Amino acid sequence: MFVAVFGKPQSYTGGDVAEIQLPGHPALLDRVVRQALDGGARLAEPGEFTFRAYTAGRLDLTQAEGVAATINAVSDGQLAAAAHLRGGELARFSQRHVDRLGSLLALVEAGIDFVDQEDVVPIAPRTLAQALSGLNDELTRLLGNSRSWGSVEALPRVVLVGPPSAGKSTLFNALLGHPRAVIDADPGTTRDVLAEPLALPDGEVLLLDIAGLEAVDSALDRDVQRQARDAVQTADLLLVVGQADVRLSESTCPQIHLQTKCDLDENQPPPHDAHQGVLRVSGLTGEGLAELRQAISDRLGDRAVSIHAELLSLQPRHESALREARSCLEDAADHVDPEAHALDEIELVAGAMRQALDQLAGLGGELTPDDVIGRVFSTFCVGK
């Protein structure tokens, strides 16, 4: 057994931490945990270590959400999006504009005390209007250069479909670059729907390998075929291998028709040459795979989820707060006459600015309701 000690404030949580490392035998682990509990310890709650880091000021709330997103990520696109949150870019944006808006609001509220004194104007309406317009432009620019978190999670579904033993699973493994599906000479090896993220030149999709479509007799085979056809029904793009099912030819889903095992054909044309509308590929030699990846990107257009980190991905809470803050700033600006000597509707202006400030401050964890914090950390697995 080995015990590592991490002293505060350098540890992840900001407090003193001890980590026990020992062989992963269930009985041994259970005994150590029981002894720790008997000695006064307790089991960690979901997200407790990250919550402690948050309360100690080691992380802000958006960075904590980035940790949770990293744990739950199942694709490179989701990892890139989570890294953005962990990096604190959104929190820095929030803090920068909270400081600006807070300073403006202080001047506006100071004017309330002197509303009956025309010669005291803490901030000129024209100056305030220009500042509110600049803040509004910044929020609009951030929203325009961001994407919804739902678009990161909803990878387009690309399904390999065709009869048994047509080479679908071999092609599936070749496209992924590692053995995921079991390959066997006997037909019907693939029984379940296999799904893996696939990197493309312009983004990422979810590639699915399904059982070969065929007529069946047994109840078990009927269930396998039902799963396969359900996957086809939810596809965004079909990669049709071999002779297409008659129902596939009637489908409105975009299709790319493939001839696999082209390495067995000595008289094959180059892979990028469409032979009667069919793209020729080999999962064994890799011929035509680059052309196939590009063809998938072309058919999906901009639907493939970018795996690059340039775009900030906004979770629903973030997007809602930014849009609400922008709406409040627009409301405040509507009550400001740039040509006036002083603010005529100063209370309405201050109220709208205060609401915008609360929304922006909540992004980084400041002024955030306890129920929002609770929802964030409830998504963690135990202890993290």
Side-chain angles (χ1 to χ4, degrees), residues 10-25:
Q10 288 78 20
S11 68
Y12 177 71
T13 64
D16 293 326
V17 177
E19 180 178 292
I20 303 175
Q21 300 181 16
L22 63 161
H25 191 284

Side-chain angles (χ1 to χ4, degrees), residues 8 10 23 66 77 145 279 295 302 305 319 356 366:
K8 62 181 180 183
Q10 288 78 20
N145 293 331
L279 185 62
D302 60 358
V305 174
E319 190 169 1
E366 302 174 46

Side-chain angles (χ1 to χ4, degrees), residues 107-155:
L107 292 173
V108 172
E109 291 181 335
I112 296 177
D113 297 331
F114 302 97
V115 69
D116 57 342
Q117 302 181 36
E118 295 184 359
D119 58 330
V120 180
V121 181
I123 184 169
R126 181 178 296 278
T127 301
L128 178 59
Q130 292 174 345
L132 292 176
S133 177
L135 285 168
N136 191 35
D137 290 344
E138 288 289 324
L139 292 179
T140 299
R141 188 175 300 110
L142 178 66
L143 287 166
N145 293 331
S146 303
R147 59 184 172 183
S148 169
W149 198 270
S151 68
V152 180
E153 296 180 332
L155 294 176

Side-chain angles (χ1 to χ4, degrees), residues 1 8 14 53 57 69 86 101 121 125 148 155 177 180 215 237-238 368 381:
M1 184 174 68
K8 62 181 180 183
R86 292 201 323 274
L101 187 55
V121 181
S148 169
L155 294 176
R180 174 66 174 85
L237 177 65
L238 298 177
T368 303
C381 53

Side-chain angles (χ1 to χ4, degrees), residues 38 91 104 177 237 243 310 316 371:
D38 292 342
L104 290 171
L237 177 65
Q243 186 65 35
E310 288 81 4
D371 62 328

